[in-house]
PDB file of all heavy atoms in Angstrom:
ATOM      1  N   ILE A 139      81.640  56.175  68.683  1.00 90.00           N
ATOM      2  CA  ILE A 139      82.365  57.349  69.177  1.00 90.00           C
ATOM      3  C   ILE A 139      82.215  58.510  68.204  1.00 90.00           C
ATOM      4  O   ILE A 139      82.009  59.670  68.607  1.00 90.00           O
ATOM      5  CB  ILE A 139      83.851  56.998  69.395  1.00 90.00           C
ATOM      6  CG1 ILE A 139      83.987  56.018  70.559  1.00 90.00           C
ATOM      7  CG2 ILE A 139      84.668  58.257  69.666  1.00 90.00           C
ATOM      8  CD1 ILE A 139      85.388  55.463  70.722  1.00 90.00           C
ATOM      9  N   ALA A 140      82.312  58.215  66.898  1.00 91.00           N
ATOM     10  CA  ALA A 140      82.150  59.277  65.897  1.00 91.00           C
ATOM     11  C   ALA A 140      80.740  59.843  65.934  1.00 91.00           C
ATOM     12  O   ALA A 140      80.545  61.062  65.812  1.00 91.00           O
ATOM     13  CB  ALA A 140      82.467  58.728  64.509  1.00 91.00           C
ATOM     14  N   ALA A 141      79.737  58.976  66.096  1.00 90.00           N
ATOM     15  CA  ALA A 141      78.347  59.442  66.153  1.00 90.00           C
ATOM     16  C   ALA A 141      78.103  60.305  67.381  1.00 90.00           C
ATOM     17  O   ALA A 141      77.309  61.255  67.339  1.00 90.00           O
ATOM     18  CB  ALA A 141      77.390  58.257  66.129  1.00 90.00           C
ATOM     19  N   GLN A 142      78.773  60.011  68.485  1.00 90.00           N
ATOM     20  CA  GLN A 142      78.576  60.781  69.706  1.00 90.00           C
ATOM     21  C   GLN A 142      79.178  62.183  69.624  1.00 90.00           C
ATOM     22  O   GLN A 142      78.827  63.049  70.425  1.00 90.00           O
ATOM     23  CB  GLN A 142      79.179  60.035  70.895  1.00 90.00           C
ATOM     24  CG  GLN A 142      78.377  58.819  71.323  1.00 90.00           C
ATOM     25  CD  GLN A 142      78.943  58.166  72.563  1.00 90.00           C
ATOM     26  OE1 GLN A 142      79.995  58.547  73.056  1.00 90.00           O
ATOM     27  NE2 GLN A 142      78.234  57.177  73.078  1.00 90.00           N
ATOM     28  N   LYS A 143      80.076  62.406  68.670  1.00 90.00           N
ATOM     29  CA  LYS A 143      80.656  63.736  68.501  1.00 90.00           C
ATOM     30  C   LYS A 143      79.588  64.773  68.126  1.00 90.00           C
ATOM     31  O   LYS A 143      79.797  65.977  68.293  1.00 90.00           O
ATOM     32  CB  LYS A 143      81.738  63.714  67.412  1.00 90.00           C
ATOM     33  CG  LYS A 143      82.926  62.821  67.736  1.00 90.00           C
ATOM     34  CD  LYS A 143      83.693  63.327  68.934  1.00 90.00           C
ATOM     35  CE  LYS A 143      84.905  62.445  69.224  1.00 90.00           C
ATOM     36  NZ  LYS A 143      85.660  62.900  70.409  1.00 90.00           N
ATOM     37  N   ILE A 144      78.452  64.285  67.628  1.00 91.00           N
ATOM     38  CA  ILE A 144      77.374  65.196  67.240  1.00 91.00           C
ATOM     39  C   ILE A 144      76.869  65.980  68.437  1.00 91.00           C
ATOM     40  O   ILE A 144      76.457  67.142  68.311  1.00 91.00           O
ATOM     41  CB  ILE A 144      76.230  64.398  66.582  1.00 91.00           C
ATOM     42  CG1 ILE A 144      76.734  63.726  65.301  1.00 91.00           C
ATOM     43  CG2 ILE A 144      75.032  65.279  66.274  1.00 91.00           C
ATOM     44  CD1 ILE A 144      75.737  62.790  64.683  1.00 91.00           C
ATOM     45  N   TYR A 145      76.893  65.366  69.616  1.00 90.00           N
ATOM     46  CA  TYR A 145      76.386  66.033  70.817  1.00 90.00           C
ATOM     47  C   TYR A 145      77.165  67.309  71.141  1.00 90.00           C
ATOM     48  O   TYR A 145      76.660  68.179  71.843  1.00 90.00           O
ATOM     49  CB  TYR A 145      76.463  65.092  72.026  1.00 90.00           C
ATOM     50  CG  TYR A 145      75.413  64.021  72.041  1.00 90.00           C
ATOM     51  CD1 TYR A 145      75.702  62.723  71.619  1.00 90.00           C
ATOM     52  CD2 TYR A 145      74.123  64.275  72.501  1.00 90.00           C
ATOM     53  CE1 TYR A 145      74.746  61.724  71.646  1.00 90.00           C
ATOM     54  CE2 TYR A 145      73.157  63.285  72.541  1.00 90.00           C
ATOM     55  CZ  TYR A 145      73.476  62.007  72.112  1.00 90.00           C
ATOM     56  OH  TYR A 145      72.522  61.018  72.142  1.00 90.00           O
ATOM     57  N   SER A 146      78.406  67.408  70.655  1.00 90.00           N
ATOM     58  CA  SER A 146      79.224  68.581  70.971  1.00 90.00           C
ATOM     59  C   SER A 146      78.934  69.771  70.065  1.00 90.00           C
ATOM     60  O   SER A 146      79.485  70.856  70.278  1.00 90.00           O
ATOM     61  CB  SER A 146      80.712  68.217  70.870  1.00 90.00           C
ATOM     62  OG  SER A 146      81.049  67.819  69.550  1.00 90.00           O
ATOM     63  N   ILE A 147      78.078  69.602  69.064  1.00 91.00           N
ATOM     64  CA  ILE A 147      77.689  70.707  68.177  1.00 91.00           C
ATOM     65  C   ILE A 147      76.555  71.477  68.844  1.00 91.00           C
ATOM     66  O   ILE A 147      75.505  70.899  69.142  1.00 91.00           O
ATOM     67  CB  ILE A 147      77.259  70.178  66.794  1.00 91.00           C
ATOM     68  CG1 ILE A 147      78.357  69.304  66.178  1.00 91.00           C
ATOM     69  CG2 ILE A 147      76.915  71.333  65.866  1.00 91.00           C
ATOM     70  CD1 ILE A 147      77.947  68.648  64.865  1.00 91.00           C
ATOM     71  N   ASP A 148      76.748  72.754  69.080  1.00 91.00           N
ATOM     72  CA  ASP A 148      75.771  73.549  69.827  1.00 91.00           C
ATOM     73  C   ASP A 148      74.399  73.556  69.162  1.00 91.00           C
ATOM     74  O   ASP A 148      73.373  73.389  69.824  1.00 91.00           O
ATOM     75  CB  ASP A 148      76.284  74.983  69.994  1.00 91.00           C
ATOM     76  CG  ASP A 148      77.486  75.059  70.931  1.00 91.00           C
ATOM     77  OD1 ASP A 148      77.643  74.133  71.747  1.00 91.00           O
ATOM     78  OD2 ASP A 148      78.260  76.032  70.829  1.00 91.00           O
ATOM     79  N   SER A 149      74.373  73.772  67.847  1.00 89.00           N
ATOM     80  CA  SER A 149      73.079  73.847  67.154  1.00 89.00           C
ATOM     81  C   SER A 149      72.331  72.522  67.238  1.00 89.00           C
ATOM     82  O   SER A 149      71.109  72.494  67.428  1.00 89.00           O
ATOM     83  CB  SER A 149      73.292  74.245  65.685  1.00 89.00           C
ATOM     84  OG  SER A 149      74.121  73.296  65.029  1.00 89.00           O
ATOM     85  N   VAL A 150      73.051  71.419  67.119  1.00 90.00           N
ATOM     86  CA  VAL A 150      72.425  70.100  67.217  1.00 90.00           C
ATOM     87  C   VAL A 150      71.983  69.833  68.645  1.00 90.00           C
ATOM     88  O   VAL A 150      70.900  69.278  68.889  1.00 90.00           O
ATOM     89  CB  VAL A 150      73.398  69.007  66.736  1.00 90.00           C
ATOM     90  CG1 VAL A 150      72.787  67.623  66.929  1.00 90.00           C
ATOM     91  CG2 VAL A 150      73.766  69.216  65.283  1.00 90.00           C
ATOM     92  N   SER A 151      72.802  70.226  69.606  1.00 91.00           N
ATOM     93  CA  SER A 151      72.475  69.997  71.013  1.00 91.00           C
ATOM     94  C   SER A 151      71.195  70.725  71.415  1.00 91.00           C
ATOM     95  O   SER A 151      70.333  70.157  72.099  1.00 91.00           O
ATOM     96  CB  SER A 151      73.646  70.440  71.890  1.00 91.00           C
ATOM     97  OG  SER A 151      73.366  70.220  73.241  1.00 91.00           O
ATOM     98  N   ARG A 152      71.046  71.992  70.993  1.00 91.00           N
ATOM     99  CA  ARG A 152      69.830  72.753  71.326  1.00 91.00           C
ATOM    100  C   ARG A 152      68.602  72.171  70.637  1.00 91.00           C
ATOM    101  O   ARG A 152      67.523  72.090  71.229  1.00 91.00           O
ATOM    102  CB  ARG A 152      70.015  74.220  70.934  1.00 91.00           C
ATOM    103  CG  ARG A 152      71.046  74.968  71.777  1.00 91.00           C
ATOM    104  CD  ARG A 152      70.959  76.465  71.527  1.00 91.00           C
ATOM    105  NE  ARG A 152      71.257  76.795  70.143  1.00 91.00           N
ATOM    106  CZ  ARG A 152      72.473  77.091  69.684  1.00 91.00           C
ATOM    107  NH1 ARG A 152      73.509  77.087  70.513  1.00 91.00           N
ATOM    108  NH2 ARG A 152      72.675  77.389  68.413  1.00 91.00           N
ATOM    109  N   CYS A 154      68.200  69.030  69.659  1.00 91.00           N
ATOM    110  CA  CYS A 154      67.880  67.757  70.311  1.00 91.00           C
ATOM    111  C   CYS A 154      67.173  67.976  71.650  1.00 91.00           C
ATOM    112  O   CYS A 154      66.280  67.214  72.018  1.00 91.00           O
ATOM    113  CB  CYS A 154      69.151  66.947  70.547  1.00 91.00           C
ATOM    114  SG  CYS A 154      69.868  66.252  69.051  1.00 91.00           S
ATOM    115  N   ARG A 158      63.858  66.212  72.824  1.00 91.00           N
ATOM    116  CA  ARG A 158      64.009  65.325  73.972  1.00 91.00           C
ATOM    117  C   ARG A 158      63.054  65.702  75.106  1.00 91.00           C
ATOM    118  O   ARG A 158      62.496  64.842  75.779  1.00 91.00           O
ATOM    119  CB  ARG A 158      65.451  65.357  74.467  1.00 91.00           C
ATOM    120  CG  ARG A 158      65.758  64.298  75.535  1.00 91.00           C
ATOM    121  CD  ARG A 158      67.184  64.411  76.043  1.00 91.00           C
ATOM    122  NE  ARG A 158      68.155  64.197  74.988  1.00 91.00           N
ATOM    123  CZ  ARG A 158      68.959  65.148  74.517  1.00 91.00           C
ATOM    124  NH1 ARG A 158      68.912  66.380  75.012  1.00 91.00           N
ATOM    125  NH2 ARG A 158      69.825  64.874  73.568  1.00 91.00           N
ATOM    126  N   ARG A 193      73.349  58.464  75.719  1.00 83.00           N
ATOM    127  CA  ARG A 193      74.609  58.718  75.028  1.00 83.00           C
ATOM    128  C   ARG A 193      75.501  57.483  74.958  1.00 83.00           C
ATOM    129  O   ARG A 193      76.285  57.344  74.028  1.00 83.00           O
ATOM    130  CB  ARG A 193      75.365  59.864  75.707  1.00 83.00           C
ATOM    131  CG  ARG A 193      74.690  61.214  75.521  1.00 83.00           C
ATOM    132  CD  ARG A 193      75.613  62.356  75.881  1.00 83.00           C
ATOM    133  NE  ARG A 193      76.800  62.403  75.039  1.00 83.00           N
ATOM    134  CZ  ARG A 193      77.652  63.416  75.015  1.00 83.00           C
ATOM    135  NH1 ARG A 193      77.451  64.460  75.795  1.00 83.00           N
ATOM    136  NH2 ARG A 193      78.718  63.393  74.241  1.00 83.00           N
ATOM    137  N   LEU A 199      70.533  58.289  69.466  1.00 92.00           N
ATOM    138  CA  LEU A 199      70.039  59.588  68.988  1.00 92.00           C
ATOM    139  C   LEU A 199      69.321  59.428  67.656  1.00 92.00           C
ATOM    140  O   LEU A 199      68.239  59.990  67.443  1.00 92.00           O
ATOM    141  CB  LEU A 199      71.193  60.583  68.872  1.00 92.00           C
ATOM    142  CG  LEU A 199      70.828  61.978  68.365  1.00 92.00           C
ATOM    143  CD1 LEU A 199      69.799  62.639  69.275  1.00 92.00           C
ATOM    144  CD2 LEU A 199      72.078  62.854  68.239  1.00 92.00           C
ATOM    145  N   GLY A 293      77.667  70.946  59.337  1.00 93.00           N
ATOM    146  CA  GLY A 293      78.317  70.852  60.643  1.00 93.00           C
ATOM    147  C   GLY A 293      78.414  69.413  61.131  1.00 93.00           C
ATOM    148  O   GLY A 293      79.442  68.999  61.685  1.00 93.00           O
ATOM    149  N   ILE A 294      77.342  68.638  60.912  1.00 94.00           N
ATOM    150  CA  ILE A 294      77.350  67.235  61.328  1.00 94.00           C
ATOM    151  C   ILE A 294      78.356  66.444  60.503  1.00 94.00           C
ATOM    152  O   ILE A 294      79.131  65.633  61.039  1.00 94.00           O
ATOM    153  CB  ILE A 294      75.945  66.631  61.203  1.00 94.00           C
ATOM    154  CG1 ILE A 294      74.975  67.305  62.177  1.00 94.00           C
ATOM    155  CG2 ILE A 294      75.980  65.124  61.446  1.00 94.00           C
ATOM    156  CD1 ILE A 294      73.553  66.820  62.064  1.00 94.00           C
ATOM    157  N   LYS A 296      81.081  67.443  58.959  1.00 94.00           N
ATOM    158  CA  LYS A 296      82.468  67.769  59.323  1.00 94.00           C
ATOM    159  C   LYS A 296      82.863  67.111  60.639  1.00 94.00           C
ATOM    160  O   LYS A 296      83.962  66.575  60.773  1.00 94.00           O
ATOM    161  CB  LYS A 296      82.630  69.286  59.420  1.00 94.00           C
ATOM    162  CG  LYS A 296      82.577  70.008  58.083  1.00 94.00           C
ATOM    163  CD  LYS A 296      82.724  71.524  58.277  1.00 94.00           C
ATOM    164  CE  LYS A 296      82.644  72.253  56.946  1.00 94.00           C
ATOM    165  NZ  LYS A 296      82.744  73.727  57.127  1.00 94.00           N
ATOM    166  N   LYS A 297      81.960  67.147  61.603  1.00 93.00           N
ATOM    167  CA  LYS A 297      82.279  66.616  62.931  1.00 93.00           C
ATOM    168  C   LYS A 297      82.464  65.101  62.892  1.00 93.00           C
ATOM    169  O   LYS A 297      83.409  64.566  63.499  1.00 93.00           O
ATOM    170  CB  LYS A 297      81.156  66.975  63.908  1.00 93.00           C
ATOM    171  CG  LYS A 297      81.569  66.982  65.363  1.00 93.00           C
ATOM    172  CD  LYS A 297      82.519  68.130  65.643  1.00 93.00           C
ATOM    173  CE  LYS A 297      82.863  68.249  67.106  1.00 93.00           C
ATOM    174  NZ  LYS A 297      83.792  69.363  67.372  1.00 93.00           N
ATOM    175  N   VAL A 298      81.597  64.413  62.175  1.00 93.00           N
ATOM    176  CA  VAL A 298      81.665  62.954  62.132  1.00 93.00           C
ATOM    177  C   VAL A 298      82.901  62.486  61.382  1.00 93.00           C
ATOM    178  O   VAL A 298      83.675  61.649  61.863  1.00 93.00           O
ATOM    179  CB  VAL A 298      80.390  62.366  61.504  1.00 93.00           C
ATOM    180  CG1 VAL A 298      80.544  60.866  61.265  1.00 93.00           C
ATOM    181  CG2 VAL A 298      79.182  62.624  62.390  1.00 93.00           C
ATOM    182  N   GLU A 300      85.607  64.120  60.695  1.00 93.00           N
ATOM    183  CA  GLU A 300      86.836  64.553  61.358  1.00 93.00           C
ATOM    184  C   GLU A 300      87.322  63.483  62.332  1.00 93.00           C
ATOM    185  O   GLU A 300      88.534  63.261  62.464  1.00 93.00           O
ATOM    186  CB  GLU A 300      86.596  65.865  62.102  1.00 93.00           C
ATOM    187  CG  GLU A 300      87.824  66.404  62.820  1.00 93.00           C
ATOM    188  CD  GLU A 300      87.541  67.670  63.601  1.00 93.00           C
ATOM    189  OE1 GLU A 300      86.389  68.170  63.539  1.00 93.00           O
ATOM    190  OE2 GLU A 300      88.457  68.176  64.262  1.00 93.00           O
ATOM    191  N   ASP A 301      86.399  62.815  63.003  1.00 92.00           N
ATOM    192  CA  ASP A 301      86.785  61.744  63.928  1.00 92.00           C
ATOM    193  C   ASP A 301      87.110  60.457  63.175  1.00 92.00           C
ATOM    194  O   ASP A 301      88.112  59.798  63.469  1.00 92.00           O
ATOM    195  CB  ASP A 301      85.653  61.499  64.931  1.00 92.00           C
ATOM    196  CG  ASP A 301      86.012  60.471  65.987  1.00 92.00           C
ATOM    197  OD1 ASP A 301      86.655  60.851  66.976  1.00 92.00           O
ATOM    198  OD2 ASP A 301      85.670  59.291  65.804  1.00 92.00           O
TER     199      ASP A 301
END
Side-chain angles (χ1 to χ4, degrees):
I139 292 172
Q142 287 184 354
K143 297 295 182 181
I144 297 173
Y145 285 100
S146 62
I147 305 175
D148 291 338
S149 59
V150 176
S151 181
R152 292 192 298 269
C154 288
R158 189 183 298 112
R193 291 195 62 169
L199 179 59
I294 295 177
K296 289 179 181 178
K297 203 69 175 180
V298 171
E300 180 183 357
D301 184 83

